[in-house]
Amino acid sequence: MPFALAGGLWLLWLLGHNVSVASEVGIIALAEVSAEFGVVIGAGTKSEVRQLLAAPMLGGMIRASLLSMSLVPAVYMMLFRARLHMRSS
């Protein structure tokens, strides 16, 4: 979790964003997701139950990330090209 939080703060600094309520909420959400990743691989008392709770969230985050980085830009480009083609016709 410390590495994830440091990465989040580093990117805020790199982009020149000020710390605000919205960025603090983002840091809290990042901490939650980071903790859930740890739960998936954690062992010990009731680890099976925790893994059952965390696995859908982990799968959803991976799928949403892949979708956001691949399908959404592709659809945007298709719509942009269609609009550009309609203007030139």
Side-chain angles (χ1 to χ4, degrees):
M1 187 183 322
F3 291 115
L5 295 176
L9 292 172
W10 173 78
L11 190 60
L12 280 174
W13 174 80
L14 185 69
L15 296 174
H17 293 288
N18 295 323
V19 176
S20 65
V21 173
S23 64
E24 290 175 5
V25 170
I27 293 293
I28 292 169
L30 173 64
E32 179 184 352
V33 170
S34 177
E36 290 296 329
F37 285 155
V39 168
V40 171
I41 59 173
T45 308
K46 299 182 182 178
S47 65
E48 295 158 356
V49 174
R50 290 186 304 204
Q51 288 178 359
L52 290 173
L53 292 171
M57 187 177 121
L58 178 62
M61 292 298 293
I62 291 170
R63 184 166 169 99
S65 298
L66 293 174
L67 182 71
S68 296
M69 290 186 286
S70 61
L71 186 62
V72 171
V75 170
Y76 176 79
M77 284 301 296
M78 288 172 36
L79 293 173
F80 179 75
R81 287 181 182 171
R83 177 184 273 174
L84 189 62
H85 181 70
M86 288 175 57
R87 285 185 182 174
S88 64
S89 297

